[in-house]
Amino acid sequence: MACSVSGNAFRCYSETLRFTPRKQQCGISPSCLHSFNCSPILVQTLDASPVPRRVRAKMAASEGSINGSNRMLVFVPPHPLIKHWISVLRNDQTPCPIFRSAIAELGRLLMYEASREWLPTVVGEIMSPMGAASVEFIDPREPIAVVPILRAGLALAEHASTVLPANKIYHLGIRRDEETLLPSVYLNKLPDEFPDNSRVFLVDPMLATGGTMIAAMDLLKERGLSVQQIKVICAVAAPPALSKLNEKYPGLHVYTGIIDPEVNEKGFIIPGLGDAGDRSFGT
C-alpha cells in the first residue's frame, strides 16, 4: 500500500568448515518506509502476505530504485511488539525499572530490523551431530559497532549484544544545553578511525531537534565512515530532526519506533515519552 503524507518529510574453525563470502542482496525490509526529499513524505508498507511473482518483480524494481537513490529513508517497522513497547514508554505511570526494560526491548527489536539484509555473511559447511549441514554466519572479518549517545542511548542499546554477534561498543557523551538546545561533547570514546567495512549503529532514543544526532554523525564521518556504513536507531523521531538529517546526510537510514508530529519550545517531542534518560535511570 502506498500513500502520500503532507510535511517535511556473528570464530569457529575445523577441517569441516569451508566458508565463502555471500553476495549481499539489496532490498527493503518489510517496514513502513518514509522517503525524505523535497516532495511530500512517501509512505510504503510491505506486509508479510503472499504476493504474486509478477507483483514481486515490480516491487523489487521499485525498491532497488529507492535504495539506489540519494534520499534519507526512515523505517517505522509495523511490528505489534514495537507498538506495545512504545505504548509502555509513553505512559507517565510506567515506573523506572519497567521503562528501562521496555526501552531496551524496543532497541533490540529496532536493531534486529535495521540489521536485516545489511550485515555481511559467509556460507559454508559444518558437521552437525547428524551429518553435514550447509550454514551461514555473520562474517567476523567485517566489524560491527554500536555507538550509544549517553546517557539515554545506553538504555536503548542495552540488549545490542543479544542481537549483534561480536560487536564493539563505543561510548559517546553529548549534552544539550537546556536554553540554547545546542549540543556539546563531554565524552568521546570513539576510535581515531573506524576499520574498513565497519557497520555502525548510532543509538539515541529521542530524535527531536537533530542537533545531537548531527554532532554525532559529524564525529563518525570524521573517523572515516560513510553514510552507507551508519544506521540510526531511535525510539521516537520528529520532523525537525528528520529534515535536518535529510539535508545534511542524504542517503542515511533511520529506524524508529514512531514519528511524532512536533517539538515544543524546550526541545521535547510532543507527545513523545518525556526525558528518556531521567525515566530510564531515575535521576
Side-chain angles (χ1 to χ4, degrees):
M1 176 178 68
C3 58
S4 293
V5 179
S6 297
N8 292 335
F10 102 86
R11 164 179 147 158
C12 47
Y13 296 95
S14 78
E15 294 180 356
T16 65
L17 292 177
R18 297 188 299 277
F19 291 112
T20 56
R22 181 175 183 268
K23 186 177 181 181
Q24 246 181 304
Q25 298 177 345
C26 294
I28 291 179
S29 61
S31 306
C32 185
L33 181 153
H34 303 242
S35 175
F36 276 72
N37 55 12
C38 296
S39 59
I41 302 168
L42 171 68
V43 181
Q44 183 173 3
T45 301
L46 305 178
D47 59 30
S49 58
V51 180
R53 182 179 300 174
R54 186 182 305 173
V55 176
R56 284 203 305 269
K58 291 182 179 179
M59 288 169 60
S62 174
E63 291 164 10
S65 175
I66 292 175
N67 261 349
S69 71
N70 202 31
R71 295 181 290 176
M72 188 179 81
L73 301 182
V74 183
F75 297 80
V76 185
H79 198 294
L81 284 173
I82 289 178
K83 297 175 182 177
H84 169 81
W85 293 120
I86 285 289
S87 299
V88 172
L89 293 170
R90 284 208 196 275
N91 190 351
D92 65 359
Q93 299 301 307
T94 299
C96 175
I98 296 178
F99 185 96
R100 182 170 177 177
S101 176
I103 201 167
E105 289 297 329
L106 177 63
R108 188 212 308 260
L109 291 167
L110 290 171
M111 280 183 274
Y112 171 85
E113 291 288 348
S115 62
R116 189 193 299 267
E117 297 184 358
W118 193 52
L119 301 182
T121 60
V122 289
V123 295
E125 186 177 278
I126 63 170
M127 290 299 296
S128 82
M130 305 304 293
S134 296
V135 294
E136 188 170 343
F137 293 106
I138 300 299
D139 192 337
R141 298 167 299 183
E142 301 200 21
I144 302 170
V146 178
V147 179
I149 299 178
L150 309 187
R151 63 182 172 155
L154 289 173
L156 191 61
E158 186 171 347
H159 291 335
S161 62
T162 68
V163 179
L164 304 170
N167 70 87
K168 291 185 177 182
I169 297 180
Y170 299 100
H171 296 96
L172 182 58
I174 301 180
R175 180 185 295 108
R176 189 176 70 173
D177 188 282
E178 294 183 2
E179 297 295 330
T180 66
L181 303 182
L182 296 177
S184 61
V185 178
Y186 65 89
L187 178 69
N188 184 349
K189 291 296 184 178
L190 299 176
D192 293 334
E193 186 172 355
F194 281 90
D196 292 341
N197 302 320
S198 291
R199 285 164 172 79
V200 176
F201 294 84
L202 183 54
V203 184
D204 192 19
M206 312 305 290
L207 202 49
T209 63
T212 297
M213 188 58 69
I214 287 175
M217 285 290 300
D218 289 344
L219 290 172
L220 295 183
K221 289 276 289 182
E222 291 171 5
R223 285 155 176 78
L225 294 177
S226 68
V227 168
Q228 289 72 30
Q229 291 175 273
I230 305 168
K231 289 198 176 183
V232 171
I233 308 294
C234 61
V236 185
L242 295 176
S243 296
K244 291 177 184 177
L245 281 171
N246 176 58
E247 181 178 345
K248 187 165 186 180
Y249 293 109
L252 182 66
H253 287 192
V254 176
Y255 284 75
T256 183
I258 197 167
I259 299 176
D260 277 353
E262 60 181 311
V263 175
N264 67 14
E265 66 280 0
K266 294 184 178 181
F268 281 90
I269 298 176
I270 305 299
L273 45 83
D275 189 309
D278 288 355
R279 297 191 67 194
S280 293
F281 301 102
T283 55

